[in-house]
Amino acid sequence: MRATRRIVGFIAGSLLATAVSAHHSFAAFDLGKTTEIEGVLTEVRLVNPHSWLEVEVAGADGKPVRWAIEGLSPRQLFDKGLKRSALKAGDKVKLVVNPL
C-alpha cells in the first residue's frame, strides 16, 4: 500500500511536468491549479500515446464518481521507474492532478 501511494504520487508528479516534448501541448489543463482525489483504481491503461487511470471517487453526495486521468506515455513512465505491475484495479490511491 505504501509503495503504491509513492508510485501513484510519482505518476501524479509526472502529470504536472510542464517541459514535455509531445505531439500536443497541455494547454487544455489548468497548470496553475491542482485537485486532490482519493479513491480506488478501476482501470489502468498503459497504452500509447498516453496512459490512463480511471479512479472511482466518492462524490459530494457520497455516490461514486468516476474520474479519467490522462498521464504520460508508458515509455516515459517506465523511464521514470514505474513498473508495469505497480498499479492494478482495486488499489487505493491518492492523486494530485491538474483539472481541465
Side-chain angles (χ1 to χ4, degrees):
M1 176 69 162
R2 181 176 264 169
T4 300
R5 282 190 175 188
R6 273 188 263 152
I7 290 168
V8 171
F10 184 73
I11 291 171
S14 297
L15 293 171
L16 301 175
T18 57
V20 177
S21 59
H23 59 276
H24 65 273
S25 74
F26 285 93
F29 299 97
D30 186 345
L31 299 178
K33 293 182 182 175
T34 58
T35 300
E36 186 175 298
I37 63 170
E38 192 169 348
V40 177
L41 281 174
T42 57
E43 190 170 344
V44 177
R45 288 178 286 170
L46 298 175
V47 296
N48 284 316
H50 298 277
S51 296
W52 287 89
L53 300 177
E54 292 202 18
V55 183
E56 191 169 280
V57 177
D61 59 0
K63 293 182 181 176
V65 176
R66 186 169 276 198
W67 285 61
I69 310 296
E70 180 181 10
L72 298 173
S73 74
R75 171 73 350 205
Q76 289 170 307
L77 294 173
F78 300 151
D79 288 348
K80 293 178 181 294
L82 177 73
K83 303 265 190 260
R84 187 174 288 277
S85 61
L87 298 170
K88 60 188 177 309
D91 286 347
K92 292 182 181 181
V93 296
K94 183 185 282 188
L95 300 172
V96 178
V97 299
N98 297 103
L100 285 173

